[in-house]
Structure formats: structure tokens, C-alpha cells
Amino acid sequence: DTEVTQTPKHLVMGMTNKKSLKCEQHMGHRAMYWYKQKAKKPPELMFVYSYEKLSINESVPSRFSPECPNSSLLNLHLHALQPEDSALYLCASSQDRADSNQPQHFGDGTRLSIL
Amino acid sequence: GESVGLHLPTLSVQEGDNSIINCAYSNSASDYFIWYKQESGKGPQFIIDIRSNMDKRQGQRVTVLLNKTVKHLSLQIAATQPGDSAVYFCAERGGTYKYIFGTGTRLKVLA
């Protein structure tokens, strides 16, 4: 079992739907991340939150909207997605110190399919 | 042996043998490196890390070697077991919060 919990594990949605992915960690980490991973490819960074503030947006389309309600929770709101957005969405967390040299801890992801 | 498929390089190793997985990184300023293991249907799992001021670090059955001169990282797994079958990613920290993953290598353990 991972210490980063993601729900749901699987999600199928139409292009006009609105849904949200959720991520939770209780390790006291103050940096949280969203990654997108296509099949047989490495994870690609989407967003980073540090102390509940958005620090990095890797030019992600606005149909993906992140939210960090508190230090333990991270959401990814989805609206009007395209079929090419089908992928595994991974959440990760880490200690928030530039010199900490601590690895990221990943959840098992939400497998998203867009019809 | 090692082969490069259409999408993911694959390393096939006999059970009990040692495995060596290689990774070339891009940024000479990267100061921290991590190896992750990703099993089917799961997220990446931390295996071992190394700082740029070191050239070798050992864990349980795993060793990471760092050669900064040629920007090369390797993961050695001793006495490879069936449970080691997975995709392995190296990652470099190229900036605060920015971890860049390598393309990955699939390790297949043959019985």
C-alpha cells in the first residue's frame, strides 16, 4: 500500500463531463505534484504545489484545473477533455525543501479514459 | 540480453543473475538522482537515490553508480528475482520541484 492515496482508481468520462481526481497524503509533505503518464512512457510533470500555492504549471491546457484545499489534499478538476487526455494521472508528494534531497512518493494513479 | 523495442527498451535477465540498468541524464547541473520501480497498474516506487557529490551508494540488493563525467547513472540489482520484473525509471532533479524522468527500461526476469 502506498502512503499517497488516489481516487478513483479508474474513471471513464465523456468529453462534455466534469469530474475531479483526488489525492491525499498524511506524511506532512508540503510539496504535491500531478503527473500524466501515457502507456510505455515516463511520467510528465503537470503541476506542483508548495505550501498550498501553485508553484509550477507546465503549460497545461486550462481544461485541467488543479486545487490544493489544504496541506494533505490535492485535486485535479477535469472539464471538456479530449480523447488524447486518456492516460494514467499520478499524484506525488515530497518534503518541501530545496536542499532536502528527498524522493517523491507516488500514489498508484487514476486511469482516465475519455470517450 | 538487451533490446530496444518500438517503445521501451527491455532487459531480459536469468533469475539469480545480476542486472544492470543504465540511464543517461541530460543536465550537468542536476544535483540529485533517483531510481524508481513501476509495476503494472501501480505508481512509481522509490528504490534508491544518490546525491551528485557521491559516485556510489548501496542499498539492499541494489547499488547505484553515478558518473558525472559522462552524465551516466546505473542501477545494479544483485541476484535478480521474479519480483524484480517491472519498468525502471531514473529521475534527475534539474531544478526545485522539477524531476525529469528517463525513458524507462523494462526488466524481464526469466525463470
Side-chain angles (χ1 to χ4, degrees):
Chain A
D1 288 343
T2 64
E3 296 169 313
V4 176
T5 304
Q6 291 188 243
T7 55
K9 292 190 185 308
H10 302 276
L11 180 61
V12 180
M13 57 188 287
M15 288 189 282
T16 58
N17 292 157
K18 285 186 181 181
K19 295 285 185 183
S20 297
L21 310 185
K22 297 187 182 299
C23 174
E24 188 170 2
Q25 59 88 16
H26 294 288
M27 294 178 282
H29 291 170
R30 302 309 294 270
M32 296 187 76
Y33 309 74
W34 280 115
Y35 285 84
K36 174 183 178 179
Q37 186 178 27
K38 300 286 272 186
K40 299 183 181 180
K41 296 291 186 183
E44 294 178 354
L45 184 65
M46 299 174 72
F47 302 104
V48 181
Y49 274 83
S50 168
Y51 287 87
E52 296 100 68
K53 288 186 172 23
L54 185 63
S55 293
I56 295 177
N57 176 342
E58 290 285 85
S59 303
V60 179
S62 60
R63 56 185 185 268
F64 295 91
S65 175
E67 178 196 18
C68 191
N70 61 54
S71 60
S72 300
L73 294 174
L74 186 66
N75 299 322
L76 187 63
H77 303 297
L78 314 173
H79 174 54
L81 294 196
Q82 303 297 307
E84 61 265 27
D85 297 323
S86 297
L88 180 69
Y89 288 84
L90 292 162
C91 173
S93 69
S94 69
Q95 291 189 13
D96 189 351
R97 282 171 48 202
D99 63 343
S100 69
N101 291 329
Q102 293 291 323
Q104 298 170 310
H105 295 252
F106 283 85
D108 284 336
T110 293
R111 185 156 303 280
L112 177 65
S113 297
I114 307 299
L115 301 179
Chain B
E2 186 171 332
S3 64
V4 177
L6 286 175
H7 300 290
L8 204 61
T10 299
L11 177 65
S12 298
V13 174
Q14 207 66 35
E15 182 180 354
D17 286 353
N18 297 335
S19 303
I20 299 176
I21 301 171
N22 297 304
C23 175
Y25 64 92
S26 56
N27 187 349
S28 56
S30 293
D31 62 351
Y32 177 58
F33 304 86
I34 309 166
W35 278 101
Y36 288 98
K37 171 186 181 184
Q38 188 173 23
E39 296 176 277
S40 180
K42 300 208 167 188
Q45 178 188 3
F46 169 78
I47 301 172
I48 192 167
D49 57 2
I50 188 167
R51 301 178 191 183
S52 59
N53 61 354
M54 304 170 69
D55 53 22
K56 180 179 180 178
R57 189 160 189 227
Q58 287 185 291
Q60 190 174 16
R61 273 201 315 120
V62 293
T63 300
V64 56
L65 299 177
L66 175 62
N67 185 330
K68 293 181 288 293
T69 303
V70 294
K71 293 190 288 186
H72 183 267
L73 200 63
S74 69
L75 176 70
Q76 300 178 0
I77 305 174
T80 311
Q81 302 169 359
D84 295 326
S85 293
V87 177
Y88 289 80
F89 291 103
C90 66
E92 60 179 301
R93 185 172 66 192
T96 306
Y97 310 129
K98 283 217 176 187
Y99 292 81
I100 303 162
F101 283 73
T103 53
T105 298
R106 181 180 303 280
L107 177 64
K108 285 188 177 178
V109 181
L110 308 172

